[in-house]
Amino acid sequence: MSDPAAGLPILLPPSVIPTKKDHLWQPTRYLSPPQPPAQDDTRSAELELAVQKQLIDVKVLKKTRPRRTVDYMGGIGRHKELKKLRPSPGYLPHMRPAPPYVINLLPPKAYPSNPSTSLCTKFVHTSTNKIRCPVNVVIWTPEGRRVLTGSTSGEFTLWNGLTFNFETILQAHDSAIRAISYTHSGAYIASADQSGIIKYFQPNMNNLNAWQAHREAVRGLSFSPDDGKFATASDDSTVRLWSFEESRSERTLTGHGWDVKCVQWHPTKGLLASGSKDNLIKFWDPRTGTCLSTLHSHKNTVQALAWNPAGDMIASASRDQSVRVFDIRAMKEVRLFKGHKKEVCSLAWHPVHPILVSGGSEGSILHWDVNSPNSASKDATPGMNLGPRATLSEAHDSNVWSLAFHPLGHLLASASNDHTTRFWSRERPGDTTSVFSGGGIKPPEGGDTGGQEDEEEAVPGFEQQQGLGPSGNGEFYDEEPVSQGVSRGGGAGGYGHGRNNYEGGWRGQQQPLPPQINSYASSGYEPGTAQDDDLPFDNSDGIPGFGDSVPGMDSLAGQQQNGSYQYQANQSSAYGRPDGDQWGAYSRGSGGGSSNGGYQRPTRFSGGRGGR
């Protein structure tokens, strides 16, 4: 049957008559040359106004940069999704060494049999207070959103747990903070300081109570599993049990022969463990106050204790440069870890895996696998020395006083005597900058103050302004912070004195040390020996926290002239060099300024340096 309209003429114009060509879209934009991204006129105007305002205020415009963020919610969400969609209970997506596979990096809880996924060795961020001072304690809030630190200035500082920027600061104590602990419920915070005072705070930093708990510094604080009681360890050689609600001492545990440096309550049982300067670890029954057992394994001060999450093992860190792990079910040492070059200051267990992290006074952070395959070999014996699973040999510039894992285990926070709090995360797949097995690289210098006010008068030895150079710091050897030197002018040079380590000043003409000191450097001076009597200064014990100074540096008269600080030494009592010149008070440098030499007692310092 034919179409009746087939012979009819078409009256439509040719431009609208459909043709039989295929109307397929063809890309053409790739043929054009690349174009710069479109400019946001509003943003450009804001930047111009900001530049003009900065020029008016005679300030330098800070370069804006994106803040590094470690967000765990992506991995948590994917892990929850896989629980519902996985083909088998043990299914996990394969990790491949390429950056796009970072979406398959799940929380540590998803890898119960693979502890290597919990080694936090990648440097993320450095956070520093505007007023720089050693950070003694770091702790995560129970929900893991923020990090709380306590410093020697007595300040609480709260940092964001995702972007690591500053949130708030509080003058919580009048002396150095030595211990901070959240209750297990997260409803309260208890803190203790150098003067023996304990305070209660709410999570919003509202102070609830304060009282004098010990005559001397409180070194440790730990809550019972039900939060009804807590224990404190003090330099007065006692451990005390307190009722949390009544703030009342219930029992005093005596038995240590020297300062008690740490105390830890068992996570689920009525059992206390304490470590002391008498090299002993003691276990206590908090109900009766009796000592249940004593461990004599360490050869020097026990500085830190930590129970594993299961509560069947306890780890100890000592000034004998070792970390030991004890199984309390058999009361037997099961691991001996040696890798630190100096004393071990802090410990932290991973919340999921049998990973133990230790911080040393040389600034290193070592990761130990307690269930290392090496320990299961036929040649392994209980207590054998096993190497670290991962090493960060230059994590900090000085003592690592505190370590704390995020509750999920994907982040590690470390607090140090170098005035910084640093954050470490797990390595990413395909990361070419990984330092997982290379001993770690030194994090970049400087730290982010996280938005704290920049306009503040400089304090000698803390900030650098025109006409005032920063002081040099000696390396820290004792538990207490020590005094810092001060400098004036654009100074350079300075006599440095320490244990087998003598330096000239920074950026200046290094001047030779006096022959008497050179003789001690070449002879290998060791503190506590007969050489103490031959030193050209008084090596007697000084005030804790200040160290000893050279005669002539005891009285410094500060004068301000033409906007710069000048410090005069007591020339009448300054120590005289053999050739008759004064030394220890001033040292000349090529920068046109001068500084005190930072000459300090060798048992406290190594390599003290003058200003620059």
Side-chain angles (χ1 to χ4, degrees):
M1 184 175 181
S2 61
D3 186 357
L8 295 177
I10 298 177
L11 302 178
L12 295 174
S15 60
V16 299
I17 298 175
T19 61
K20 294 183 180 180
K21 294 182 180 180
D22 294 330
H23 291 277
L24 296 177
W25 176 82
Q26 296 292 334
T28 58
R29 198 166 184 175
Y30 73 96
L31 299 175
S32 60
Q35 301 293 327
Q39 294 289 336
D40 186 356
D41 296 336
T42 305
R43 178 64 177 167
S44 300
E46 290 177 355
L47 288 176
E48 291 179 1
L49 290 175
V51 171
Q52 294 175 3
K53 184 178 180 181
Q54 293 290 338
L55 292 176
I56 294 174
D57 297 340
V58 195
K59 293 181 180 178
V60 179
L61 180 63
K62 289 185 177 181
K63 183 179 180 181
T64 58
R65 59 181 179 182
R67 183 173 293 279
R68 184 174 296 178
T69 304
V70 179
D71 191 357
Y72 53 85
M73 291 308 297
I76 292 290
R78 186 163 176 79
H79 181 48
K80 295 292 184 183
E81 181 184 26
L82 282 174
K83 278 190 172 181
K84 298 179 180 179
L85 304 178
R86 58 188 175 184
S88 62
Y91 171 77
L92 287 174
H94 289 287
M95 294 291 293
R96 300 186 184 279
Y101 287 89
V102 70
I103 62 172
N104 291 331
L105 184 61
L106 303 180
K109 190 176 181 181
Y111 310 100
S113 60
N114 188 2
S116 64
T117 59
S118 296
L119 301 177
C120 297
T121 57
K122 181 175 180 59
F123 170 73
V124 178
H125 190 79
T126 297
S127 297
T128 309
N129 279 346
K130 179 61 180 174
I131 301 297
R132 294 171 60 89
C133 57
V135 184
N136 294 332
V137 190
V138 62
I139 187 172
W140 288 87
T141 57
E143 77 282 357
R145 294 177 182 269
R146 295 174 179 85
V147 176
L148 180 64
T149 62
S151 63
T152 56
S153 62
E155 295 174 331
F156 281 171
T157 309
L158 205 60
W159 304 94
N160 189 289
L162 293 180
T163 56
F164 316 112
N165 59 295
F166 166 81
E167 289 200 351
T168 188
I169 190 169
L170 169 70
Q171 186 67 45
H173 288 263
D174 295 330
S175 58
I177 298 173
R178 293 298 176 187
I180 302 175
S181 180
Y182 274 88
T183 58
H184 293 86
S185 64
Y188 299 98
I189 307 169
S191 61
D193 65 15
Q194 180 72 24
S195 60
I197 294 176
I198 295 178
K199 293 188 177 184
Y200 293 163
F201 294 88
Q202 291 177 315
N204 61 1
M205 299 303 166
N206 179 35
N207 183 219
L208 299 176
N209 192 10
W211 77 96
Q212 186 77 37
H214 289 268
R215 299 188 309 272
E216 298 186 31
V218 177
R219 295 291 179 172
L221 190 152
S222 181
F223 277 95
S224 64
D226 63 355
D227 293 337
K229 296 176 173 50
F230 66 93
T232 57
S234 172
D235 282 351
D236 60 12
S237 73
T238 64
V239 176
R240 292 189 180 181
L241 303 182
W242 303 85
S243 171
F244 178 71
E245 291 186 359
E246 302 175 12
S247 302
R248 175 177 56 85
S249 176
E250 293 188 341
R251 188 166 281 107
T252 300
L253 310 180
T254 58
H256 282 291
W258 213 341
D259 304 354
V260 185
K261 295 299 184 183
C262 50
V263 63
Q264 288 292 327
W265 204 304
H266 192 280
T268 58
K269 307 293 183 183
L271 180 63
L272 280 172
S274 63
S276 171
K277 202 172 180 179
D278 60 7
N279 312 344
L280 303 180
I281 300 173
K282 287 183 177 290
F283 295 91
W284 308 86
D285 183 352
R287 302 174 185 85
T288 62
T290 57
C291 179
L292 302 176
S293 181
T294 303
L295 299 176
H296 301 76
S297 300
H298 285 290
K299 299 177 182 178
N300 209 325
T301 304
V302 180
Q303 301 217 110
L305 292 172
W307 293 97
N308 70 331
D312 55 1
M313 289 190 289
I314 186 170
S316 61
S318 172
R319 298 184 78 172
D320 62 9
Q321 305 179 13
S322 69
V323 176
R324 299 174 188 264
V325 181
F326 303 91
D327 190 334
I328 64 167
R329 294 168 293 185
M331 203 55 69
K332 184 178 181 181
E333 180 182 322
V334 294
R335 293 291 182 274
L336 169 60
F337 298 125
K338 287 187 176 181
H340 286 280
K341 298 177 181 178
K342 294 184 180 179
E343 62 191 63
V344 190
C345 304
S346 53
L347 285 175
W349 284 93
H350 192 274
V352 178
H353 291 127
I355 296 292
L356 182 64
V357 180
S358 60
S361 64
E362 74 276 20
S364 66
I365 297 177
L366 304 185
H367 294 66
W368 311 92
D369 187 355
V370 178
N371 292 345
S372 174
N374 294 333
S375 62
S377 63
K378 295 181 180 179
D379 299 332
T381 57
M384 70 174 294
N385 182 22
L386 306 175
R389 187 71 179 267
T391 302
L392 297 172
S393 58
E394 295 181 295
H396 284 276
D397 296 330
S398 187
N399 305 58
V400 181
W401 287 134
S402 182
L403 295 166
F405 272 105
H406 188 280
L408 293 177
H410 71 295
L411 281 174
L412 174 68
S414 59
S416 172
N417 194 66
D418 64 5
H419 312 164
T420 64
T421 302
R422 285 180 174 156
F423 298 88
W424 312 85
S425 70
R426 299 177 295 170
E427 299 288 345
R428 298 294 188 262
D431 187 0
T432 57
T433 62
S434 172
V435 293
F436 181 79
S437 59
I441 60 174
K442 187 174 183 178
E445 294 293 337
D448 183 12
T449 58
Q452 300 181 60
E453 289 295 327
D454 293 331
E455 297 182 12
E456 189 170 346
E457 293 184 2
V459 180
F462 290 92
E463 292 295 325
Q464 181 176 4
Q465 287 186 352
Q466 184 177 2
L468 180 65
S471 67
N473 296 324
E475 189 172 350
F476 187 79
Y477 269 99
D478 208 341
E479 301 95 336
E480 307 298 335
V482 289
S483 58
Q484 301 182 6
V486 289
S487 60
R488 69 174 179 85
Y495 289 119
H497 175 68
R499 188 169 63 183
N500 299 333
N501 186 6
Y502 303 89
E503 302 179 10
W506 302 347
R507 302 181 186 175
Q509 181 180 359
Q510 296 192 6
Q511 303 205 10
L513 288 171
Q516 289 174 274
I517 296 302
N518 279 325
S519 64
Y520 283 93
S522 60
S523 62
Y525 167 76
E526 288 294 335
T529 63
Q531 295 176 339
D532 281 350
D533 299 332
D534 301 328
L535 288 174
F537 54 86
D538 183 14
N539 194 29
S540 59
D541 290 335
I543 301 175
F546 293 90
D548 294 338
S549 59
V550 177
M553 296 303 294
D554 295 333
S555 60
L556 295 177
Q559 301 177 1
Q560 188 173 2
Q561 298 179 2
N562 300 326
S564 64
Y565 289 87
Q566 295 185 359
Y567 290 85
Q568 302 294 334
N570 184 357
Q571 297 293 328
S572 61
S573 60
Y575 182 81
R577 289 175 55 179
D579 56 3
D581 292 335
Q582 304 290 340
W583 73 280
Y586 279 121
S587 61
R588 292 291 180 181
S590 60
S594 61
S595 67
N596 66 307
Y599 185 86
Q600 297 285 347
R601 174 186 175 198
T603 57
R604 297 286 181 93
F605 273 78
S606 173
R609 294 176 289 190
R612 55 181 173 184

